[in-house]
Amino acid sequence: MPMQLSTELGTIHVSDHCIAIIAGSAAMDCYGLVGMASRKQLKDGIAELLGRDNLTRGVEVRRVNEKLHIDLYIIVSYGTKISEVAHNIQSKVKYVLNDVIGLQVEEVHIIVQDVRVLK
């Protein structure tokens, strides 16, 4: 069900797919992130790295009491501090969704699926 925003000119419906694209794109701008991972189970202990055209497969959008909860499945770069990368992604995603769409994001959950060495 799309998110509904009311303005003085009418209502705006924003789909979960659109929210997921914006959240995934915002996360990809953060340092230390290799990419988004599939929400599916790991194959042979290795997370599937998604391309830019599949960002939404690594993002889950949920609504709890009309507030947004975003789950991001990510792969981080080896040698970066995972807690800092996760915090930066949380801040960026929350800011962008609030600034671009005007949504109230209550929580941004980060699920680190893998660590990769950049070549």
Side-chain angles (χ1 to χ4, degrees):
M1 176 193 298
M3 193 78 175
Q4 188 172 343
L5 303 169
S6 297
T7 67
E8 60 275 356
L9 300 175
T11 59
I12 301 167
H13 299 276
V14 182
S15 71
D16 288 350
H17 182 74
C18 178
I19 295 168
I21 290 172
I22 293 170
S25 295
M28 290 300 292
D29 288 342
C30 294
Y31 175 79
L33 182 69
V34 174
M36 303 301 287
S38 176
R39 290 179 282 171
K40 296 185 295 183
Q41 290 288 26
L42 301 174
K43 283 185 186 175
D44 301 326
I46 299 173
E48 178 186 356
L49 180 63
L50 302 174
R52 276 210 173 264
D53 52 335
N54 291 328
L55 289 179
T56 58
R57 286 181 43 211
V59 180
E60 185 177 341
V61 178
R62 295 179 287 118
R63 251 178 248 110
V64 179
N65 299 327
E66 293 305 312
K67 300 270 185 161
L68 281 178
H69 289 229
I70 310 290
D71 296 338
L72 296 166
Y73 295 79
I74 65 168
I75 299 172
V76 297
S77 175
Y78 177 79
T80 59
K81 189 172 180 181
I82 293 174
S83 61
E84 281 300 312
V85 172
H87 182 265
N88 289 341
I89 292 170
Q90 288 172 320
S91 299
K92 175 90 177 203
V93 168
K94 191 170 184 175
Y95 171 77
V96 167
L97 285 174
N98 192 15
D99 192 47
V100 171
I101 302 179
L103 298 175
Q104 291 298 319
V105 178
E106 188 170 53
E107 295 178 354
V108 178
H109 300 277
I110 305 295
I111 299 96
V112 179
Q113 294 279 56
D114 202 0
V115 175
R116 299 266 171 101
V117 177
L118 294 177
K119 296 177 183 182

